[in-house]
Amino acid sequence: RFEACKLLSCKVNKTSLITVETNRYSVPCSYVGQAVWAKIFVDRVIVVAQNHVIAEHTRSYERGQMITVLDHYLEVLLKKPRAIRDAHAFQSKEIPDVFKRFHSKMREQEGSAGDQKFIRLLLLHRDIGMENLTKALLEAEKAKVFRYEKVHEIIQSLTNQHTPISTLPTDKTPVNLLDYKVNKSNIEQYGQLTGGTRK
């Protein structure tokens, strides 16, 4: 089907951006230096490489704008974690405020290690979605625990909460298990092993 768009060949620059008209749009950092196609629609810009859509942005009609998506830079930020502090994509209005507050606390408590752990947290959205990650950060913030491990624990709880734990019905329980009894421990035997006596 014919698409009502203008097709533009672009080269991804070293900061993972392509230029469309007077504006710059981000693409995943793995495409730096490569040639890609930009499909310019009335309302959006879709970037394609090897017949795959690699980025989609709302088209800007202003001039000299830089439109970035944080996810496009996560692999680079993992190697240079301190760069998150000034990253243009992290300052976007699209990023919920809790992310900025949480990062600030992690950096305050753990320095550059906090930066790296925070980026690892951001990567989790690819598996669980932005909504679940935002919920987990809000819950950890409420508990005043600004650590990767705490958020990961909350995420496990959020993603597994709909898995019911059911018991095996009696009629499906193996017969030998129905008659199985557990004997109470004999404390005197323990005393003999350790050379002590029961008092």
Side-chain angles (χ1 to χ4, degrees), residues 15-70:
T15 53
S16 205
L17 297 164
I18 61 167
T19 302
V20 175
E21 296 168 339
T22 66
N23 298 315
R24 290 173 293 164
Y25 298 85
S26 70
V27 301
C29 58
S30 56
Y31 291 92
V32 165
Q34 294 187 33
V36 296
W37 289 98
K39 293 181 176 182
I40 310 165
F41 292 86
V42 173
D43 58 343
R44 65 196 191 281
V45 173
I46 294 177
V47 188
V48 178
Q50 291 95 43
N51 293 320
H52 293 289
V53 173
I54 60 169
E56 184 169 346
H57 298 275
T58 300
R59 183 179 175 182
S60 174
Y61 281 93
E62 294 181 46
R63 296 180 65 82
Q65 298 297 300
M66 184 161 67
I67 297 96
T68 55
V69 173
L70 184 58

Side-chain angles (χ1 to χ4, degrees), residues 85 100-115 118 146-147:
R85 303 178 187 189
K100 293 164 188 174
R101 294 194 302 268
F102 209 89
H103 171 244
S104 179
K105 285 289 184 182
M106 287 184 80
R107 188 180 69 201
E108 184 183 302
Q109 293 175 6
E110 301 184 71
S112 58
D115 288 328
F118 180 73
F146 302 93
R147 301 186 67 81

Side-chain angles (χ1 to χ4, degrees), residues 168-178:
L168 198 63
T170 306
D171 61 329
K172 291 186 180 176
T173 305
V175 176
N176 58 335
L177 285 181
L178 286 171

Side-chain angles (χ1 to χ4, degrees), residues 57-178:
H57 298 275
T58 300
R59 183 179 175 182
S60 174
Y61 281 93
E62 294 181 46
R63 296 180 65 82
Q65 298 297 300
M66 184 161 67
I67 297 96
T68 55
V69 173
L70 184 58
D71 184 68
H72 293 164
Y73 295 93
L74 293 181
E75 281 79 11
V76 167
L77 290 171
L78 207 53
K79 294 174 186 173
K80 299 178 180 178
R82 289 185 60 152
I84 187 74
R85 303 178 187 189
D86 303 308
H88 179 273
F90 190 53
Q91 310 308 321
S92 166
K93 292 182 287 184
E94 305 296 318
I95 305 295
D97 288 340
V98 66
F99 282 77
K100 293 164 188 174
R101 294 194 302 268
F102 209 89
H103 171 244
S104 179
K105 285 289 184 182
M106 287 184 80
R107 188 180 69 201
E108 184 183 302
Q109 293 175 6
E110 301 184 71
S112 58
D115 288 328
Q116 190 166 45
K117 287 178 182 178
F118 180 73
I119 293 157
R120 283 173 58 206
L121 279 179
L122 291 176
L123 281 164
L124 293 175
H125 92 272
R126 294 179 181 176
D127 297 319
I128 64 164
M130 199 65 167
E131 188 179 339
N132 275 332
L133 182 55
T134 304
K135 281 182 189 174
L137 290 179
L138 286 167
E139 199 170 316
E141 183 182 53
K142 193 176 177 182
K144 296 184 179 178
V145 182
F146 302 93
R147 301 186 67 81
Y148 175 89
E149 296 76 14
K150 177 66 175 175
V151 178
H152 198 268
E153 182 185 304
I154 293 168
I155 285 169
Q156 286 182 318
S157 172
L158 281 172
T159 53
N160 294 329
Q161 63 183 356
H162 300 302
T163 307
I165 300 171
S166 57
T167 55
L168 198 63
T170 306
D171 61 329
K172 291 186 180 176
T173 305
V175 176
N176 58 335
L177 285 181
L178 286 171

